[in-house]
Amino acid sequence: MTANVIVSGSLRNRLAIILTGGAALLALVLYLVVRALAAQVAQQGQDNILSASMSSVLDTAVIRDGRVMLDFPYSSFSMLNTQADDRVFYAIYEGETLLSGYDWLVVPDDLAPENTVFETTTINGDQLRVATGSRVLIGSDGPRNVSVSIAQTQDALSNTLNGISRNVAFLGLGFFLMSSALAIWAASTTSGQMRRLTTSVTRRGPQDLSPVTKAVPSEMAPLVGSLNTFMSRLDHTLTQSEDFIAEAAHRIRTPLATVRSHAEATLQRVDREDNRKSLQAMVRAIDESSRTAGQLLDHAMVTFRAENLEMSQVDLADLLQELVLGMTPVAEMKDITITMKVESPATLLGDAILLQNALRNLIDNALKYAPAETSLLVEVSRSPTLSVSVYDEGQGFAPDEIETLSGRFVRGKNMGNKVGSGLGLTIAQEVAVAHGGKLTLSNRPEGGACVTLFF
């Protein structure tokens, strides 16, 4: 029997999702950080070129004949050439007076002599980077402040950043894919420890309740410790249950058999009819109690062993021969002939004790309900599957009761005054189910009942 386990997701999938989510976050952070650093480096490169261009122009400023004169060197603008043909703008001021250039390039208010100020502005939708520097010239009429602003569009910078962004995106994607593969591998490896433990426990035999000694990670140690403790308690409980069933069978059957013997002996010495009837009722009650107690204990043993089958190769022919030999005295008391028909080989991988219990109950039931001076047939067949059938020449089963007679404590209407507990067929059916088979009841066309165990 497989217990219903409530499953809540997969630990491996959860671990994989957490790790891949972390990898995705790290890939995004990597992309943003590298792009920001690239933008900073590229911007610094453009600022250095603008500063050099602005300084080369500012270095040509002189005072001649009381006027500020500048001579544009060719290199001052050629160094600003880019593949994107960025546009260049300039403005030269003496104080607040524009000497040359574009008047919308305004000198910053916080510009100090010998310092360079960088700022970003937008003109007609184009983003420009502006470098502004100033210098103080000494003339005959006193100091004069000259400032130069050089501005350049940032198309080349944008192209460079876009290229860097694409490369960083590919780098981040590759990092994410490798991290995801590593995360899935790590999750599978981690969950593999639990699968190996599960396989180790599953492969054990039904009687193997020894502690798990396989090395496990420290995180699984509490689980394995609890499992070992549980199996130890279970082993102790099962041993106690088995001992109790055996001891109870002995302690109940032996006193009842003793009482029955004394009752029968007394019955032989009593002449009064009312006393004889009382003793006969006592013997019958003892027989019924003994049979009921015995079958209750048999049923308890079947229930106990059904979950812990001790499997071995069982020869059904030998097993039935032993059972028939043991029940022959009972059959001879009713002049019933037991015959066997075996189709060899008739071997089965099963629990010998349970199979013996089930077959004994079937033969015992047939002997109990079969009329005197009849025959009983025990047949073992291999076609279409291995089965054991017990045929009698009694009244058979009531057609409307065939489906329910294998239930616990259920007895048929036509059982008369026969002693019984209603557990014989139940025991046989549970043994068949424990071995992957079934029990069927039917009536013979020529009269009598047929009970078959299929394996």
Side-chain angles (χ1 to χ4, degrees), residues 214-246:
K214 184 179 179 64
V216 295
S218 58
E219 292 80 5
M220 294 176 60
L223 173 62
V224 175
S226 299
L227 178 63
N228 287 339
T229 301
F230 171 75
M231 288 195 297
S232 177
R233 294 200 308 266
L234 180 61
D235 185 39
H236 179 68
T237 301
L238 292 178
T239 302
Q240 283 186 325
S241 298
E242 191 171 9
D243 293 342
F244 171 78
I245 292 173

Side-chain angles (χ1 to χ4, degrees), residues 37 55 83 198 222 225 335:
L37 290 176
S55 297
Q83 293 181 350
T198 302
D335 294 326

